[in-house]
Amino acid sequence: MTKNNRSGDNQSAFGELLFVREVEQFLFYEVGLLDDRRFEDWTDLFTEDGYYWAPAEINQPDPASGVSLFFDDVPMMRIRFARLRHPRVHSQIPPSRTSHSISNVTAKRSGTGDRVEVEARFQMLDYRPGHDQRAFGGKYEYVLSRGDGGRFRIASKKAVIINCDDVHLPVAVPF
Amino acid sequence: MAGYSNDHIASLVRPDQVHRDVYEDPDLFDLEMDRIFGRSWVYVGHESQVPEPGDFFCTRVGLQPVVMSRHSDGTVYVVYNRCAHRGVKVVNEECGNVGRFMCMYHGWTYDTNGDLDFVTQSEGYPDLEFDKLEHGMGRVARWESHHGFVFANLSPDGPGLREWLGENSDFLDDVAVSAPDGEVEVTGGVHRYLYHGNWKMQVENLIDMYHPAYSHESSSAKGGQQFSRREGDKGGIQFFEKRGKVKSMDGLGTHALPNGHTWQGGLPPVENMSEDHRAYVALLEEKHGPNRTREILIKKRHNVIFYPNMAMQELNPHIRVIRPLAVDRTEIFIYPVKLKGAPEKMFRDQLINLNRTHSPTSLVQTDDVEAFTRAQEGMMTSGNEWVLLARTGPQESLESGRIRTTGTSEEGMRNHYRAWLEYMCADRPE
Ligand SMILES: [Fe+2]
């Protein structure tokens, strides 16, 4: 192995590190928007035909096989979040506070390299004053694409919480 | 269990009021589990949930765990989920397929109809003659089905299923005939949600057309119209006529039937039929002809309560099972109903709409359960011991004990309490 080659390897390993770091930074930003209740900005991260899906069964093959906790396209997200802004959204008075954390991120390019598949583990704490704090957690799967200026957009986000088939009290903020 | 006299129970229900104890008293809740869920027909599940021999589905009748299973002879059974030996719950998964049920504790096995199959080391019982039935898991007293909808009754006394269903059995006929194949199946998963309130609050809410504009205002857009809840409709329910003026839902008549059953209707036809919907109508016409198809498509009753624990709606057809856990804790399970033979896309749209209205993250039911939770808390106050169910509208009595009145009348709830009293005060059969 020549010196040159080794530095090439280092370069590509370094590039890979930067790439994963870039993806992570995007995910942190994305869930931060939810915790900051910037729901409209969160919606804008999705591509026009993007969707957010939280299955109701642990091995649910797709959103057409059965009901889901969440299965929102962008128009539905806008309706959902307009409601959360309504002055008389009774089940969110007072509103829930959330804290999302992400770890175990893996990312790989696919197709021409503009498409990125991401897997991660997450936790979301959810507290609505007057109610017990809840902890949700599980696995995220994203398909990201590069939009204007090379910035990531979300083509799809799937959130499988490990107790998706439990009997739940109301959930207002996406996992 | 508190020894409440019939007089005491009767004093809790007035013609237009009920005492808060019916929602708050844990002893009354225990009595309800015994006398209502132990005497009435109670919805268990749909036969399509156990299509193959050995398939089982676990649920509860009141608080009692039961198994609905399809036996090797193809028949559906409803048995208690209990080992005859030391009382251990035998089946521990919600659904699946087995050759036999085996108790984890000492390895006794049961056939898929609950009959005793095998006792391990049976030489240790020299004085006992084992009987398949007596030492089986135990069949519930009665179970029957109509169009695959299985109901169980823990009591051997009282009317048969069809008599108890009354007009509600016509509704199940209507649902079945609206499927191009003439039958429905329950294969679209389940929404499960919980609230910290009494089970009857959900039952009452289902016949309450007074509350939507107030409870669900946040689900409407600027013009006061709710989002579209059905494929082909541009928008949903109109809550407001103009700024600040609530549109009355009296037009959706309330029908009160014997045994606490109630229904409301009807459902307007779809505004703009999609291609799939037209294909669906064509399938019905092929089978029934245009006149009968037109009748089938008129949803006279679209929201039907099978008192005490089940309700069905024809808007995105679904079954709602009310599962009491404690006086102040209730689970709700929502099962989409698939019209067999209809275009797949219709079912997909139905699932998507049910996510929006009935999931734990829904834009609608979450505000209902908020009301139930706050009612459970509000009724803790001692300042007013009575809950008002006095709202009326023009009312007429029809044949076979049916009362027809307006959509926002509280007659449906008063009807529930007439049945409640009958179950709760009837003399014990023994
Ligand atoms: Fe409601």
Side-chain angles (χ1 to χ4, degrees):
Chain A
M1 197 182 281
T2 68
K3 202 180 172 190
N4 248 353
N5 269 350
R6 197 175 307 139
S7 106
D9 285 351
N10 283 345
Q11 215 164 10
S12 74
F14 187 63
E16 209 46 38
L17 204 66
L18 280 181
F19 166 64
V20 175
R21 199 73 190 123
E22 184 194 7
V23 169
E24 278 181 349
Q25 290 300 312
F26 175 74
L27 301 192
F28 299 159
Y29 171 71
E30 181 253 319
V31 296
L33 291 178
L34 292 172
D35 294 336
D36 293 342
R37 301 182 66 78
R38 290 170 58 192
F39 301 123
E40 296 77 7
D41 292 336
W42 185 77
T43 305
D44 289 339
L45 292 179
F46 285 79
T47 59
E48 223 170 285
D49 56 354
Y51 65 88
Y52 169 68
W53 179 37
E57 300 292 336
I58 206 75
N59 291 316
Q60 193 173 335
D62 62 74
S65 66
V67 292
S68 302
L69 297 178
F70 285 95
F71 180 48
D72 288 7
D73 55 12
V74 169
M76 185 58 205
M77 292 175 198
R78 298 205 189 283
I79 295 173
R80 178 182 299 281
F81 297 130
R83 171 173 172 270
L84 290 185
R85 302 288 186 214
H86 195 282
R88 285 174 293 283
V89 56
H90 308 295
S91 58
Q92 277 288 289
I93 301 173
S96 299
R97 303 166 198 162
T98 61
S99 171
H100 289 72
S101 315
I102 293 185
S103 65
N104 311 18
V105 178
T106 60
K108 65 169 193 271
R109 297 178 184 86
S110 73
T112 56
D114 281 351
R115 205 178 118 100
V116 181
E117 290 175 11
V118 183
E119 290 189 5
R121 291 278 158 184
F122 73 96
Q123 283 194 35
M124 176 180 102
L125 299 177
D126 178 307
Y127 174 69
R128 185 178 164 220
H131 299 258
D132 291 338
Q133 180 163 310
R134 292 180 291 178
F136 298 102
K139 188 180 180 186
Y140 280 152
E141 291 173 29
Y142 295 82
V143 175
L144 306 179
S145 63
R146 298 266 184 195
D148 292 345
R151 289 159 60 144
F152 285 130
R153 306 283 304 274
I154 305 173
S156 66
K157 175 180 178 179
K158 176 181 171 188
V160 187
I161 55 168
I162 60 169
N163 60 338
C164 58
D165 50 358
D166 195 1
V167 186
H168 290 291
L169 290 166
V171 175
V173 179
F175 308 113
Chain B
M1 197 178 290
Y4 290 132
S5 69
N6 284 353
D7 283 348
H8 173 73
I9 294 169
S11 76
L12 301 173
V13 179
R14 294 173 178 172
D16 59 356
Q17 289 177 316
V18 290
H19 193 273
R20 63 172 178 154
D21 278 2
V22 306
Y23 303 98
E24 299 280 345
D25 180 354
D27 291 327
L28 265 180
F29 175 83
D30 290 344
L31 266 187
E32 288 178 334
M33 292 304 103
D34 187 34
R35 297 189 178 176
I36 300 179
F37 286 77
R39 291 174 173 182
S40 171
W41 287 93
V42 172
Y43 177 72
V44 170
H46 193 268
E47 286 181 6
S48 60
Q49 291 172 277
V50 290
E52 301 298 328
D55 284 350
F56 64 84
F57 168 71
C58 291
T59 182
R60 298 193 303 265
V61 173
L63 298 181
Q64 306 187 33
V66 299
V67 189
M68 173 174 82
S69 61
R70 192 172 294 269
H71 189 42
S72 43
D73 65 4
T75 324
V76 169
Y77 284 78
V78 181
V79 300
Y80 291 104
N81 193 352
R82 178 206 198 275
C83 181
H85 177 214
R86 297 268 284 275
V88 170
K89 190 174 101 176
V90 177
V91 192
N92 204 42
E93 283 179 302
E94 192 182 20
C95 52
N97 181 281
V98 289
R100 282 181 177 70
F101 298 124
M102 184 170 80
C103 179
M104 58 151 287
Y105 205 8
H106 303 92
W108 290 28
T109 57
Y110 299 91
D111 282 333
T112 42
N113 62 353
D115 285 4
L116 181 65
D117 172 59
F118 186 74
V119 175
T120 51
Q121 301 180 52
S122 59
E123 67 279 5
Y125 299 96
D127 304 324
L128 206 58
E129 186 123 355
F130 282 107
D131 178 84
K132 269 188 174 315
L133 268 179
E134 189 194 333
H135 300 101
M137 290 165 69
R139 297 178 187 171
V140 302
R142 293 183 286 167
W143 68 96
E144 283 183 47
S145 71
H146 188 54
H147 293 295
F149 295 86
V150 179
F151 293 80
N153 196 317
L154 303 187
S155 164
D157 305 302
L161 177 65
R162 292 296 284 277
E163 189 192 334
W164 173 82
L165 284 172
E167 195 183 319
N168 278 7
S169 95
D170 302 346
F171 170 73
L172 295 179
D173 297 343
D174 291 348
V175 172
V177 81
S178 72
D181 287 357
E183 55 181 5
V184 298
E185 61 179 23
V186 174
T187 51
V190 52
H191 279 307
R192 303 175 170 96
Y193 60 87
L194 177 74
Y195 65 88
H196 295 296
N198 190 271
W199 64 275
K200 296 187 292 300
M201 291 171 180
Q202 171 70 93
V203 188
E204 286 152 22
N205 174 264
L206 287 166
I207 203 79
D208 182 338
M209 280 298 131
Y210 185 18
H211 82 284
Y214 310 98
S215 293
H216 303 301
E217 184 188 347
S218 66
S219 65
S220 65
K222 272 207 183 79
Q225 187 173 29
Q226 202 182 42
F227 62 92
S228 166
R229 292 167 65 161
R230 186 171 57 176
E231 198 56 32
D233 288 352
K234 272 200 238 62
I237 312 161
Q238 190 72 40
F239 287 153
F240 300 94
E241 278 172 2
K242 51 180 197 260
R243 232 181 117 76
K245 173 106 171 60
V246 171
K247 188 170 179 235
S248 167
M249 293 205 181
D250 270 336
L252 286 171
T254 297
H255 296 250
L257 316 176
N259 300 322
H261 304 323
T262 36
W263 62 263
Q264 286 179 320
L267 202 57
V270 181
E271 288 173 27
N272 302 300
M273 275 198 238
S274 64
E275 209 173 297
D276 301 284
H277 202 96
R278 278 197 296 271
Y280 161 69
V281 173
L283 285 167
L284 288 179
E285 282 177 341
E286 210 173 288
K287 190 166 174 183
H288 301 285
N291 291 336
R292 177 75 183 112
T293 297
R294 215 163 322 155
E295 272 173 32
I296 291 170
L297 292 175
I298 295 170
K299 304 298 180 191
K300 181 170 76 140
R301 323 170 180 84
H302 86 277
N303 174 30
V304 180
I305 298 175
F306 297 69
Y307 192 81
N309 84 320
M310 195 268 256
M312 278 184 75
Q313 288 184 358
E314 284 231 68
L315 178 62
N316 302 308
H318 60 276
I319 298 163
R320 182 189 313 246
V321 187
I322 295 115
R323 299 162 51 102
L325 284 165
V327 68
D328 57 356
R329 214 171 148 85
T330 308
E331 294 174 334
I332 304 297
F333 284 15
I334 307 277
Y335 296 93
V337 171
K338 184 175 187 174
L339 306 180
K340 276 180 84 172
E344 278 299 318
K345 172 74 165 51
M346 274 181 64
F347 189 54
R348 227 171 303 157
D349 293 336
Q350 182 184 332
L351 296 177
I352 287 171
N353 281 303
L354 285 173
N355 295 338
R356 296 169 179 181
T357 50
H358 291 77
S359 102
T361 75
S362 113
L363 282 57
V364 183
Q365 68 80 4
T366 46
D367 284 316
D368 290 320
V369 306
E370 177 71 10
F372 309 157
T373 310
R374 293 199 205 174
Q376 198 71 25
E377 195 177 346
M379 280 185 226
M380 296 293 284
T381 57
S382 56
N384 180 354
E385 299 196 341
W386 294 91
V387 173
L388 202 55
L389 300 175
R391 195 177 169 81
T392 57
Q395 185 163 318
E396 55 181 318
S397 293
L398 304 173
E399 76 294 350
S400 62
R402 168 145 63 95
I403 294 166
R404 179 169 64 202
T405 183
T406 50
T408 75
S409 164
E410 283 161 347
E411 180 62 19
M413 299 155 213
R414 294 190 290 271
N415 190 48
H416 296 164
Y417 281 100
R418 288 194 287 271
W420 188 88
L421 273 182
E422 261 174 56
Y423 287 119
M424 292 291 280
C425 294
D427 287 329
R428 296 304 287 155
E430 58 253 62

